[in-house]
Amino acid sequence: VAGDTRPYHHGDLRAALIEAGLQLARQKGVSALGMRELTRAVGVTPNAAYRHFANLRAFVLTVALEAQHRLAHTILDRMQVIPIDANPAVRAVERLRAFGLGYIHFALADPGWFELACVSQEEPPDTGPHGGAKTTVPPPHQLLLGALDEMDQAGALPPHRRANAEWACWATVHGFANLATSGPLRGMDRDALNRLAEQAMDTLINGLTA
Amino acid sequence: VAGDTRPYHHGDLRAALIEAGLQLARQKGVSALGMRELTRAVGVTPNAAYRHFANLRAFVLTVALEAQHRLAHTILDRMQVIPIDANPAVRAVERLRAFGLGYIHFALADPGWFELACVSQEEPPDTGPHGGAKTTVPPPHQLLLGALDEMDQAGALPPHRRANAEWACWATVHGFANLATSGPLRGMDRDALNRLAEQAMDTLINGLTA
DNA sequence: TGTACATCAGTGAACGCGCGTTCACTGATGTAC
DNA sequence: TGTACATCAGTGAACGCGCGTTCACTGATGTAC
């Protein structure tokens, strides 16, 4: 009755697979995610996974969504640290800066998770037949829009620059993250990367506000 | 004596493989490059490729370098169109804009080639035993540095912003290219993308020069 | 409280596939004399 | 100009691998009465 060996039922295989997927992607990258490798890591037969996910693609999208949530969480933590300054314009600008540096630092700290989070934007979440525009806009995108709105309301952003400003912002931080994790900046030491990231954000903010 | 069928010797298999690799990457992306698929496309036995390339990786790097050259060529064409203006500062700024829009337009026109060109920056070209710093800096990078130098000399770039300004520029254009080819902007129509790209370059240039 | 039975969550084995790469070989080319 | 021979550039077949996925099945769980 007592099971000193592994029980026949795992308990929560679905959660265990997602956790294994996160660890695997963290260490080996998104391309290392495979049904056999994952089930091996969890100690279960390959086809057991098909009780919980339709196929590999559906699994990867699920884990990617989790990675995206973690990215959003990291960014939000950093944005919330900005104190409620006397000058709301300064605060709004600092929150945009926190968004950008948070985004970049997440990518530098865990390139595999960053790559994974990007997957969830390559492929729409496949909202299924109950189709709803519930969470079509990914959280990081909303955080960015929020920061820009705040700048707008505080008068830190010239009105003619507000529309579509998010794409210039996203391009800068996303591009920097790519250059640093898998481009020509790969391998540069962290302090230098942090300085370059701050400089890039300075240039961006200057371009938006000047 | 006369060969109406394919001759035993191909003629220039190496060049044919590279050409096939470019077409394949253009249509199906970098991940579609494989020895068997390539040799099939050329009409030759899989192992024939090993007369010309040590392995798949070496082949991909070779084709990636060619894609990088094409990217550089596209950018240069666009930069050279900028007329020699009366005001050298204006000209320098316009050349930087041409760099950015050229980079982005290459990516939009041929996402597969853009992806391929990026591969050559992920992996150093493996200069071999004759080691030389001959072409370690990739051409697009040099074009960007040239444009910034020109701005610097024309007084269009505050001196304190010159150092490392290339990374903010590269991040913006590279990030925009990624967002547009494989990120949330994928699928947007070309006119709208062009407008967003111009807006992003406006913001960048404003940030550098203001 | 106990038992029959539907349902769930795994197992074990296998299918079929395409891949990169290697081996021994052969048809064609070019060069020395 | 002709011939022997080294070299080159392909062929044909196979190895071994790991993958995603499916099939039929079984051990465990929970629920109705």
Side-chain angles (χ1 to χ4, degrees), chain A:
Chain A
V1 176
D4 49 5
T5 67
R6 289 298 176 80
Y8 191 91
H9 285 80
H10 180 279
D12 195 355
L13 181 55
R14 182 187 156 92
L17 285 171
I18 291 177
E19 178 61 25
L22 284 168
Q23 295 315 314
L24 194 57
R26 167 129 92 160
Q27 285 158 16
K28 306 265 185 83
V30 171
S31 66
L33 293 179
M35 281 302 197
R36 296 186 104 100
E37 178 114 18
L38 284 160
T39 49
R40 220 177 288 134
V42 173
V44 110
T45 284
N47 40 7
Y50 291 87
R51 288 282 160 197
H52 304 278
F53 302 95
N55 50 38
L56 177 61
R57 184 184 133 89
F59 172 78
V60 171
L61 287 179
T62 302
V63 190
L65 207 64
E66 173 60 26
Q68 197 193 64
H69 288 155
R70 295 190 181 199
L71 168 59
H73 193 254
T74 296
I75 292 172
L76 190 57
D77 278 353
R78 221 174 149 118
M79 287 178 75
Q80 284 174 339
V81 154
I82 306 299
I84 300 180
D85 198 277
N87 184 343
V90 170
R91 174 172 142 93
V93 165
E94 289 312 306
R95 279 169 66 88
L96 177 65
R97 191 192 309 276
F99 170 88
L101 295 179
Y103 190 98
I104 290 168
H105 286 168
F106 181 87
L108 295 182
D110 277 302
W113 283 356
F114 176 64
E115 191 193 356
L116 196 49
C118 291
V119 167
S120 68
Q121 288 164 357
E122 288 169 21
E123 309 267 355
D126 188 19
T127 40
H130 62 293
K134 190 174 53 177
T135 324
T136 57
V137 181
H141 192 189
Q142 283 185 332
L143 293 175
L144 174 55
L145 290 177
L148 288 171
D149 280 341
E150 203 177 333
M151 282 176 65
D152 190 20
Q153 286 164 21
L157 186 62
H160 71 282
R161 283 203 214 281
R162 174 63 190 88
N164 297 314
E166 66 268 28
W167 301 113
C169 297
W170 201 343
T172 299
V173 299
H174 185 73
F176 192 91
N178 270 326
L179 296 184
T181 58
S182 46
L185 290 178
R186 166 191 32 84
M188 183 174 273
D189 69 285
R190 282 292 281 273
D191 283 352
L193 284 177
N194 285 340
R195 279 191 295 271
L196 290 180
E198 281 166 22
Q199 187 178 345
M201 283 305 296
D202 279 343
T203 301
L204 172 66
I205 288 169
N206 192 42
L208 287 172
T209 60

Side-chain angles (χ1 to χ4, degrees), chain B residues 8-10 13 36 44-45 47 51-52:
Chain B
Y8 192 91
H9 285 80
H10 180 278
L13 181 56
R36 295 187 106 101
V44 111
T45 285
N47 41 7
R51 289 280 159 199
H52 303 278

